């Protein structure tokens, strides 16, 4: 098989009006009536074409990749995910990028645009091309590197073929670094208009991320090794080695350091005076663009369907919306346990939810309506929210938990009742009246509720099936059909943590470990943790997990570190790779309501309602190559 890419495209100028237009404030003329020649011969036309290139940036705004991890799940019916990340193989779009570079070169030579405008547009184009190649290499490994339109090689004949081979994975990563270096060189430091367009700092932030990804894949490739009998591995198209890691870690540190030392950015509201203030600040961060922390992202501010998303409507709790299949994002108990608690001095302590007086918190019930053991000494709480009141402010702002206050309602999430007789019911209607008050399975006491109902109905939606829902990104006042809050693709806290992780991972040989400690604890201080922790890799990864919960980062972190559960490694570990739920239960046996919490295996995805593992095969770290037979290109191991 030839190791080449079949590459034939035609120049296609399209006008797509939508999500990128807010980036470009001062476009002149009626661009909807411009011809292709007009678009290429005026600065306003070129700006509009550039806006369409921005549409190619694969930032996955408001995507739900975290539901393919241990942190969350679809409320009903979605199977466990794989170790792969979002696929991208876009050479039609790449041709448009390369054609745009040629167009602005011609425009500069013809005097249509100034030298300053030319280099700014060139910087933006390198940023977009670098981002697209970053998305391709992290998913696929080495890909063909195409930097020309190749029109001279196409004569219009029916049998014209042009094949370009895949570069090695390392060559592709190096190309990404080179593209971002050019973007850093050419992009302006600030925007007085088009404030959502990339700047020098956007390119530095992206390089901080991309170099860390390349370094991690290099260092941890052997954690999920693939035999070199596969052609793509033998040719190093799907292969990295540990010797590459330090250079990429250093590049991540340098990019992070340049951005941090600029003094132009910081954490939003870095020193709150209380846990509640920290919660409010963290919530506000995602409702409006906070420039101090904003590095790159996307606007949704016009609030129309062509420039919006349904995240708010589809993830609001059932009590606050009549939308079909709302409440789709169920947060796992595993994620809830990961958030620390505060002690009396606002130092961190383990936040694992305490449910039993015997301390056996690693014991789970696979199907509570059949296997609940009433002889277990469960902790009896006075209210359904009591176990969660001392948790990390970021938990309070990001997760809807039993009896949480939200949109002037008490969010009822309950899945069981134990009657005065000791009879119990889970996941089905049951009620009892005690002292004139009627209690039911769902905690709604005859009213509305948001959890555990209709567990076997994949089309029912609406009801959380783990005991928790997402709060982060949701409007705190009312359901938004078209979300208008912005998407932070890159924010300052990530750059701080990239610096910390890269510095720790290369043994402090490059980067300042004392600064890493400072940055790590600045992020924790914003959450009102007043103690300090050391910059170990465990602490850095923990902080990344809770700081960026549900921001679609965890799947990429697990992917680059080759840290998804794998059958061959984890099959003998108790509960390894099994997502869990927490079922609140009202217990009436004492004559007054108490609340116990039953740890369960996640109900709906458990095969035959039994424990099943979340696991991947090593080959799945490399996504399949599109149309590799017709393109006569080497496929990835999963395709051999």
């Amino acid at each position: 098989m030839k190791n080449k890419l079949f590459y034939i495209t035609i120049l296609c100028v399209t006008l797509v009006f939508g999500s990128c237009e807010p980036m470009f404030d001062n476009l002149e003329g009626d661009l909807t009536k411009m011809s292709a020649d007009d678009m290429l011969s005026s600065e306003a036309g070129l700006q509009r074409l550039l806006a369409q290139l921005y549409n190619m940036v694969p930032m996955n705004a408001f995507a739900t990749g975290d539901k393919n991890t241990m942190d969350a799940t679809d409320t009903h019916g979605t199977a466990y995910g794989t170790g792969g990340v979002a696929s991208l193989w876009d050479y039609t779009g790449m041709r448009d990028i390369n054609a745009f570079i040629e167009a602005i070169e011609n425009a500069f030579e013809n005097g249509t645009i100034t030298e300053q405008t030319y280099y700014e547009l060139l910087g933006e184009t390198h940023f977009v091309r670098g981002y697209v190649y970053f998305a391709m290499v992290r998913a696929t490994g080495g890909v063909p590197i195409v930097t020309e339109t190749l029109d001279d090689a196409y004569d219009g004949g029916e049998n014209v073929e042009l094949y370009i081979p895949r570069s090695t994975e390392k060559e592709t990563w190096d190309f990404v670094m080179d593209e971002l270096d050019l973007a850093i060189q050419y992009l302006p430091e600030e925007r007085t208009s088009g404030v959502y367009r990339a700047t020098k700092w956007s390119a530095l932030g992206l390089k901080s991320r991309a170099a860390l990804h390349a370094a991690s894949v290099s260092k941890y490739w052997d954690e999920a090794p693939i035999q070199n009998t596969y052609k793509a591995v033998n040719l190093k198209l799907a292969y990295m080695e540990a010797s590459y890691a330090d250079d990429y870690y250093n590049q991540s540190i340098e990019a992070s350091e340049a951005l941090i030392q600029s003094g132009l950015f910081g954490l939003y509201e870095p020193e709150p005076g209380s846990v509640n203030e920290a919660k409010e600040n963290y919530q506000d961060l995602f409702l409006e663009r906070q420039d101090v922390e904003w590095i790159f992202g996307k606007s949704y501010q016009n609030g129309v369907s062509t420039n919006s998303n349904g995240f708010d409507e589809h993830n609001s709790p059932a009590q606050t919306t009549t939308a079909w299949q709302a409440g789709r994002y169920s947060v796992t108990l595993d994620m809830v346990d990961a958030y620390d608690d505060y002690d009396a001095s606002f130092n961190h302590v383990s936040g694992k939810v305490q449910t039993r007086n015997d301390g056996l918190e690693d014991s789970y019930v696979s199907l509570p309506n059949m296997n609940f053991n009433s002889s277990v000494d469960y902790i009896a709480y006075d209210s359904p929210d009591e176990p969660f009141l001392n948790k990390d402010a970021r938990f309070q702002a990001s997760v809807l938990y039993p009896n949480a206050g939200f949109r002037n309602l008490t969010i009822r999430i309950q899945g069981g009742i134990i009657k005065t007789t000791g009879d119990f019911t889970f996941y089905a209607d049951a009620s009892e009246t005690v002292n004139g008050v009627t209690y039911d399975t769902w905690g709604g006491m005859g009213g509305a509720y948001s959890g555990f109902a209709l567990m076997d109905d994949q089309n029912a939606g609406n009801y959380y099936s783990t005991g928790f829902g997402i709060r982060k990104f949701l409007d705190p006042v009312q359901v938004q059909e078209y979300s208008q809050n912005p998407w932070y693709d890159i924010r300052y806290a990530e750059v701080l943590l990239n610096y910390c992780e890269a510095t720790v991972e290369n043994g402090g040989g490059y980067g300042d470990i004392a600064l890493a400690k400072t940055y790590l604890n600045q992020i924790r201080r914003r959450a009102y943790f007043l103690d300090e922790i050391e910059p170990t890799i465990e602490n850095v990864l923990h902080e990344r997990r809770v700081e960026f919960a549900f921001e679609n980062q965890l799947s990429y972190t697990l992917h680059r570190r080759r840290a998804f559960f794998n059958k061959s490694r984890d099959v003998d570990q108790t509960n390894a790779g099994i997502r869990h739920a927490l079922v609140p239960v009202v217990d009436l046996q004492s004559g007054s309501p108490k609340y116990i919490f039953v740890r369960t295996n996640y109900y709906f995805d458990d095969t035959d309602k039994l424990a099943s593992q979340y696991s991947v095969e090593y080959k799945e770290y490399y996504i399949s190559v599109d149309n590799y037979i017709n393109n006569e290109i080497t496929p990835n191991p999963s395709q051999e």
Side-chain angles (χ1 to χ4, degrees):
M1 180 181 293
K2 298 178 183 177
N3 183 25
K4 298 177 180 179
L5 169 68
F6 180 61
Y7 190 92
I8 298 178
T9 62
I10 62 172
L11 179 60
C12 180
V13 180
T14 60
L15 295 178
V16 182
F17 300 100
S19 60
C20 281
E21 272 196 65
M23 293 181 175
F24 297 83
D25 302 317
N26 299 316
L27 300 182
E28 299 178 355
D30 186 356
L31 298 177
T32 63
K33 297 179 180 179
M34 281 188 172
S35 68
D37 288 340
D38 290 336
M39 295 287 283
L40 296 173
S41 61
S42 69
E43 181 176 341
L46 291 170
Q47 296 276 13
R48 179 53 57 88
L49 289 175
L50 178 63
Q52 307 322 309
L53 297 189
Y54 270 97
N55 280 330
M56 295 174 57
V57 172
M59 66 178 73
N60 298 322
F62 291 99
T64 53
D66 288 328
K67 290 197 292 189
N68 288 327
T69 70
M70 294 290 288
D71 285 2
T73 184
D74 199 279
T75 292
H76 291 282
T78 298
Y80 291 98
T82 69
V85 296
S87 178
L88 184 66
W89 186 273
D90 187 5
Y91 282 93
T92 300
M94 195 57 61
R95 188 197 184 285
D96 291 343
I97 291 174
N98 296 333
F100 184 77
I101 292 176
E102 294 177 8
I104 61 175
E105 288 173 348
N106 291 334
F108 177 44
E109 292 173 2
N110 295 334
T112 303
I113 57 176
T114 65
E115 182 178 29
Q116 179 180 344
T117 299
Y118 165 68
Y119 280 112
E120 287 186 6
L121 296 177
L122 184 61
E124 287 177 278
T125 312
H126 282 298
F127 176 82
V128 173
R129 191 162 70 179
Y131 206 140
V132 172
Y133 269 100
F134 169 43
M136 289 200 291
V137 65
R138 72 186 175 190
T140 311
V143 298
I145 296 174
V146 183
T147 59
E148 301 174 88
T149 57
L150 305 176
D151 287 351
D152 291 342
Y154 177 70
D155 63 7
E158 294 182 359
N159 298 314
V160 174
E161 294 183 338
L162 179 63
Y163 296 94
I164 298 176
R166 290 175 68 180
S167 295
T168 67
E169 183 170 357
K170 186 179 189 304
E171 288 169 342
T172 310
W173 280 113
D174 288 342
F175 178 72
V176 172
M177 301 303 121
D178 291 342
E179 286 294 285
L180 296 178
D181 284 340
L182 289 170
I184 292 164
Q185 177 182 347
Y186 297 140
L187 283 169
E189 293 190 4
E190 62 180 353
R191 297 280 186 185
T192 56
S193 63
V195 295
Y196 286 90
R197 296 169 72 170
T199 64
K200 170 183 178 179
W201 314 113
S202 307
L204 282 166
L206 182 57
K207 186 175 182 184
S208 167
R209 175 190 291 175
L212 180 63
H213 200 114
S216 300
V217 173
S218 300
K219 184 169 184 175
Y220 293 102
W221 195 89
D222 282 339
E223 289 293 304
I226 307 172
Q227 295 175 343
N228 63 9
T229 52
Y230 292 102
K231 190 173 182 180
V233 178
N234 184 260
L235 295 174
K236 299 189 176 181
L237 309 178
Y239 170 83
M240 295 288 275
E241 61 185 53
S243 64
Y244 307 155
D246 282 350
D247 177 60
Y248 291 122
Y249 281 130
N250 293 347
Q251 291 189 62
S252 179
I253 290 168
E254 288 177 345
S256 303
E257 193 170 44
L259 194 151
I260 295 165
Q261 295 302 317
S262 73
L264 298 174
F265 303 92
L267 296 172
Y268 174 65
E269 300 295 348
E271 295 190 356
S274 66
V275 173
N276 189 62
E277 185 181 339
K279 169 193 169 183
E280 295 298 325
N281 293 340
Y282 192 74
Q283 174 180 280
D284 291 346
L285 174 62
F286 300 100
L287 299 180
E288 299 286 346
R289 170 174 163 157
Q290 307 297 344
D291 286 346
V292 68
E293 192 151 346
W294 181 276
I295 295 172
F296 185 69
K298 187 172 184 178
S299 170
Y300 289 92
Q301 288 184 345
N302 68 1
V304 297
S305 60
T306 55
N307 181 33
S308 192
N309 63 83
F311 190 92
D312 189 296
E313 183 174 52
H314 293 302
N315 288 284
S316 290
Q319 287 170 254
T320 69
T321 180
T322 58
W324 181 68
Q325 291 196 341
R328 299 297 293 175
Y329 210 118
S330 287
V331 178
T332 63
L333 174 59
D334 311 271
M335 182 70 235
V336 172
D337 280 341
Y339 285 99
D340 288 331
D341 281 1
Y342 302 96
D343 69 10
S345 299
F346 301 101
N347 301 324
H348 79 288
V349 293
S350 171
K352 193 162 190 174
V353 179
Q354 300 301 297
T355 67
R356 301 165 58 128
N357 288 308
D358 59 14
L360 298 178
E361 298 298 348
D362 290 325
S363 179
Y364 297 89
V365 178
S366 60
L367 192 61
N369 61 338
M370 294 177 59
N371 301 323
F372 174 70
N373 184 353
S374 59
S375 67
V376 170
D377 186 12
Y378 286 100
I379 299 172
Y381 289 98
D382 292 326
S383 66
D385 59 351
E386 191 176 349
F388 315 105
L389 298 180
N390 289 324
K391 293 190 80 64
D392 189 330
R394 291 166 294 188
F395 169 84
Q396 307 286 339
S398 301
V399 178
L400 290 168
Y401 52 90
N403 270 39
F406 185 64
R407 293 176 180 165
N408 293 320
L409 293 171
T410 298
I411 303 303
R412 307 291 185 183
I413 304 173
Q414 185 178 296
I417 184 172
I418 304 175
K419 296 184 177 181
T420 53
T421 59
D423 295 330
F424 58 84
T425 299
F426 287 80
Y427 307 147
D429 287 328
S431 63
E432 184 175 13
T433 300
V434 177
N435 297 325
V437 179
T438 300
Y439 301 89
D440 64 18
T441 304
W442 317 113
M445 291 183 282
Y449 49 88
S450 295
F452 290 109
L454 303 174
M455 293 283 283
D456 283 318
D457 188 346
Q458 296 186 37
N459 295 315
N462 293 0
Y463 299 107
Y464 303 131
S465 52
T466 59
F468 307 94
I470 190 171
R471 179 174 183 151
K472 199 174 199 176
F473 312 120
L474 300 188
D475 188 295
V477 177
Q478 61 185 9
V479 175
Q480 296 294 324
E481 181 180 6
Y482 303 130
S483 298
Q484 296 190 55
N485 42 327
W487 175 258
Y488 290 81
D489 183 54
I490 307 172
R491 59 185 177 94
Y492 184 68
E494 180 191 348
V495 176
L496 295 180
L497 286 172
N498 292 347
Y499 182 95
C500 294
E501 184 174 339
T503 299
V504 171
E505 285 284 56
N506 76 352
Y510 192 86
D512 187 328
I513 199 71
L515 276 179
K517 180 176 179 178
T518 297
Y519 298 152
L520 180 64
N521 286 294
Q522 283 176 350
I523 295 171
R524 299 179 66 256
R525 176 64 180 84
R526 199 251 297 270
Y528 205 67
F529 284 105
L530 303 185
D531 57 339
E532 291 196 345
I533 60 175
E534 296 302 316
T536 64
I537 190 59
E538 292 79 14
N539 285 341
V540 171
L541 292 176
H542 174 267
E543 197 60 33
R544 187 184 291 276
R545 184 179 184 188
V546 297
E547 174 68 22
F548 291 97
F550 323 126
E551 293 181 52
N552 203 33
Q553 282 213 18
L554 181 63
S555 55
Y556 292 110
T557 298
L558 295 172
H559 180 269
R560 63 181 169 83
R561 297 178 63 83
R562 299 304 194 249
F564 280 96
F565 286 109
N566 184 276
K567 293 177 181 178
S568 62
R569 273 195 309 217
D570 298 308
V571 69
D572 295 326
Q573 296 180 20
T574 303
N575 294 310
I578 302 171
R579 289 184 286 201
H580 298 106
L582 188 68
V583 185
V585 179
V586 61
D587 185 351
L588 302 172
Q589 291 179 95
S590 67
S592 61
K594 295 291 182 181
Y595 296 88
I596 67 170
F597 295 83
V598 181
R599 289 177 170 268
T600 71
N601 295 327
Y602 172 54
Y603 179 89
F604 193 86
D605 279 353
D606 293 342
T607 304
D608 297 324
K609 308 300 179 288
L610 300 173
S612 62
Q613 277 202 321
Y614 173 63
S615 60
V616 303
E617 298 292 349
Y618 294 151
K619 293 184 290 186
E620 293 172 353
Y621 282 104
Y622 291 96
I623 298 294
S624 299
V625 175
D626 283 355
N627 205 23
Y628 73 93
I629 295 176
N630 289 341
N631 288 336
E632 298 192 16
I633 193 171
T634 303
N636 270 333
S638 62
Q639 298 171 282
E640 285 194 38

